[in-house]
């Protein structure tokens, strides 16, 4: 009679690191840039080629393929009991315009390598395993970001997503049809567990000389559009004390946003990434500034505290500088903790495999954030060189990628069960 073995019984199974690396390099040829990166924007012809390659590889590994109405690709390796909810892993293969070889791509191909390695070892799982390619995670061509997983998790409707248009006026729906990945709508299936392997996209693991990041959860995010309204005037005749300098006020706010995050270390973040100055003339005192503010924290109470701090600070600066400051929140993602027992499984799996590890938080958004609303979820991070990502020079060590995939394999086996 078949029975499920315990987690330790599967730890002698290892993935093929050289095969994983070669798959990453082969996929990176599609949309390769002269500087060694990748430009494969969502739902372009190049994205279609990348999808075709993944589908071919998955079918060669014995997987069946399902495509949903937003273009998410699900490659399924059957389990002994296909009525059980699948254990899922994946990420995305669309990139930034000047993206790298590993962001997203690693999570997809690590999942494919898990399937290939299980095939090599002749291991049957109790529950089915699925590797998913999520549509338009980056949001470079279409917004919102994390579109495919967001539709899947019900964060926004399919109709809303399909109607979004790029800068040339092409809709998501038309782009999906053009590359042959407009699938069928259906009910969201149950999921047994979801895992996502990813490069860290930051410098913490490398700085601490750790191979595996045991991701506790993702930071919450609040994004704002801020307009500072002063009065433009001639730079020569207008005395300093009589100015209503919008850029001066905006500069004070930039420093204050930095202060808000530093006071709430280590998991708070504060960033002003965009400034538009009007009239942007050398000898005119700026009369208006449009700026972005990005606040992040690991706890929702802290994020709310930062929100209040931002609004108080804007009111104070506006009063002192005798001008107006309008603050509009445009994005909110609540902090998303991952499932404690799956997170512990990542930690203990890394330990059992002999890899150095540490607890980390994700400062970026990932498809796993939406999946965590539906199913037990965990992530595995590995270092990237100098913490650089969303850049053509993005890089990672083959042995680190192999280590992360080995940890992913063991975590998935623990959730899917091994048929003895």
């Amino acid at each position: 009679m078949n029975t499920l073995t315990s987690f330790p019984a599967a730890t002698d199974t290892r993935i093929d690191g050289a095969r994983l690396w070669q798959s990453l390099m082969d996929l990176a040829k599609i949309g390769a840039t002269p500087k060694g990166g990748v430009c494969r924007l969502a739902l372009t012809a190049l994205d279609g080629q990348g999808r075709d390659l993944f589908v071919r590889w998955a079918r060669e590994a014995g997987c069946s393929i399902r495509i949903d109405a937003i273009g998410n690709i699900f490659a399924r390796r059957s389990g002994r009991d296909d009525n059980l909810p699948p254990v899922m892993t994946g990420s995305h293969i669309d990139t930034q315009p000047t993206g790298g070889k590993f962001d997203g791509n690693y999570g997809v191909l690590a999942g494919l390598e898990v399937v290939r390695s299980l095939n090599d070892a002749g291991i049957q799982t109790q529950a089915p395993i699925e590797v998913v390619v999520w549509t338009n995670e980056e949001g470079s061509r279409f917004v919102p970001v994390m579109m495919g997983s967001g539709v899947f998790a019900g964060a926004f409707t399919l109709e809303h997503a399909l109607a979004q248009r790029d800068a040339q006026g092409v809709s998501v729906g038309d782009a999906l049809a053009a590359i042959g990945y407009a699938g069928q709508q259906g009910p969201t299936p149950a999921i047994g567990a979801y895992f996502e392997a990813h490069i860290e996209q930051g410098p913490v693991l490398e700085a601490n000389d750790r191979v595996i990041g045991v991701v506790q959860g993702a930071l919450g995010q609040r994004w704002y559009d801020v307009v500072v309204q002063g009065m433009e005037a001639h730079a020569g005749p207008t005395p300093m004390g009589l100015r209503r300098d919008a850029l001066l006020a905006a500069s004070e706010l930039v420093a204050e946003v930095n202060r808000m995050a530093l006071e709430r270390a280590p998991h708070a973040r504060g960033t002003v990434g965009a400034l538009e100055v009007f009239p942007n003339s050398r000898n005119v005192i700026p009369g208006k500034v449009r700026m972005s503010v990005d606040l992040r924290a690991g706890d929702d109470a802290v994020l709310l505290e930062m929100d209040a701090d931002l609004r108080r600070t804007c009111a104070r600066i506006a009063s002192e500088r005798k001008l107006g400051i309008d603050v509009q929140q445009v994005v909110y993602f609540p902090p998303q903790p991952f499932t404690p027992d799956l997170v512990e499984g990542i930690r203990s799996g890394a330990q059992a495999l002999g890899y150095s590890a540490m607890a980390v938080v994700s400062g970026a958004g990932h498809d796993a954030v939406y999946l965590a609303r539906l199913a037990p979820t965990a992530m595995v991070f590995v270092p990237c060189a100098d913490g650089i990502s969303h850049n053509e020079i993005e890089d990672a060590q083959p042995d680190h990628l192999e280590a992360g995939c080995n940890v992913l394999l063991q975590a998935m086996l623990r959730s899917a069960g091994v048929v003895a």
Side-chain angles (χ1 to χ4, degrees):
M1 180 178 179
N2 289 331
T3 59
L4 294 182
T5 63
S6 64
F7 172 58
T11 57
D12 58 350
T13 306
R14 298 289 188 275
I15 66 101
D16 185 334
R19 180 171 56 194
L20 171 60
W21 179 262
Q22 188 59 54
S23 296
L24 285 162
M25 296 305 103
D26 288 344
L27 181 59
K29 294 175 184 176
I30 301 174
T33 65
K35 292 182 180 179
V38 180
C39 177
R40 194 169 55 239
L41 300 183
L43 308 185
T44 58
L46 288 172
D47 186 30
Q49 293 174 33
R51 287 163 170 261
D52 291 346
L53 181 60
F54 169 78
V55 167
R56 175 167 67 81
W57 282 340
R59 284 183 169 142
E60 289 171 353
C63 294
S64 61
I65 301 295
R66 176 173 64 87
I67 301 167
D68 70 10
I70 195 60
N72 297 320
I73 305 169
F74 302 86
R76 184 182 182 98
R77 183 182 192 262
S78 293
R80 189 185 71 168
D81 185 351
D82 269 347
N83 292 316
L84 290 174
V87 174
M88 184 182 290
T89 188
S91 195
H92 61 97
I93 63 170
D94 65 301
T95 75
Q96 292 286 336
T98 53
K101 300 181 181 75
F102 305 102
D103 175 13
N105 303 291
Y106 171 56
V108 170
L109 296 184
L112 179 62
E113 179 55 35
V114 165
V115 169
R116 288 168 164 172
S117 297
L118 292 177
N119 291 345
D120 292 345
I123 293 174
Q124 183 183 18
T125 56
Q126 182 77 359
I129 283 174
E130 288 190 350
V131 183
V132 60
V133 178
W134 300 111
T135 294
N136 186 44
E137 192 272 354
E138 293 289 3
S140 296
R141 183 183 178 196
F142 300 102
V143 294
V145 301
M146 304 186 301
M147 179 180 283
S149 57
V151 169
F152 187 80
F156 33 84
T157 66
L158 172 65
E159 291 73 22
H160 172 75
L162 292 176
Q164 299 311 297
R165 296 183 181 274
D166 67 7
Q168 285 69 47
V170 179
S171 72
V172 170
D174 288 344
L176 279 169
I179 65 170
Y181 280 88
Q184 298 298 313
Q185 185 174 9
T188 301
I191 303 168
Y194 178 78
F195 297 92
E196 186 167 345
H198 212 282
I199 58 170
E200 183 192 5
Q201 299 184 284
V204 175
L205 291 175
E206 188 176 65
N208 287 274
D209 194 25
R210 297 293 188 274
V211 173
I212 300 296
V214 183
V215 188
Q216 309 299 296
L219 298 182
Q221 304 179 38
R222 289 184 185 270
W223 294 1
Y224 306 84
D225 287 342
V226 178
V227 178
V228 184
Q229 182 66 65
M231 177 70 73
E232 57 265 28
H234 198 301
T238 311
M240 301 301 291
L242 299 179
R243 298 180 176 203
R244 296 167 61 194
D245 187 333
L247 183 56
L248 178 61
S251 300
E252 293 179 19
L253 183 55
V254 171
E256 287 294 297
V257 167
N258 193 62
R259 185 266 307 162
M260 292 170 200
L262 287 172
E263 288 181 351
R264 296 167 177 89
H267 296 319
R269 310 284 190 269
T271 306
V272 174
L275 287 168
E276 297 177 4
V277 181
F278 177 85
N280 203 31
S281 178
R282 182 185 298 272
N283 62 344
V284 179
I285 298 164
K288 180 188 287 187
V289 173
R290 297 182 183 274
M291 59 192 295
S292 66
V293 175
D294 178 332
L295 301 179
R296 307 189 187 207
D299 181 88
D300 212 24
V302 174
L303 199 54
L304 281 170
E305 184 182 288
M306 295 175 75
D307 175 88
D309 194 347
L310 174 66
R311 295 177 189 279
R312 283 194 308 270
T313 299
C314 287
R316 175 183 60 77
I317 294 173
S319 176
E320 291 173 353
R321 295 293 171 189
K322 296 181 175 57
L323 40 67
I325 301 181
D326 180 66
V327 180
Q328 298 293 330
Q329 181 178 294
V330 293
V331 168
Y332 169 57
F333 285 107
Q336 181 60 68
F338 292 144
T339 307
D341 62 333
L342 295 192
V343 173
E344 171 57 25
I346 299 295
R347 188 204 64 77
S348 62
Q351 181 181 37
L353 292 165
Y355 301 132
S356 60
M358 65 179 291
V360 296
V361 296
S362 173
H366 295 289
D367 295 305
V369 174
Y370 280 142
L371 269 292
R373 301 182 182 184
L374 301 178
T377 296
M379 292 191 74
V380 181
F381 277 179
V382 296
C384 52
D386 299 319
I388 293 173
S389 184
H390 286 191
N391 188 311
E392 291 166 283
I393 66 170
E394 176 185 276
D395 200 9
Q397 294 185 26
D399 58 331
H400 291 166
L401 299 170
E402 180 178 351
C405 192
N406 275 325
V407 172
L408 175 69
L409 169 65
Q410 299 305 326
M412 294 186 72
L413 287 176
R414 186 177 187 181
S415 291
V418 177
V419 177

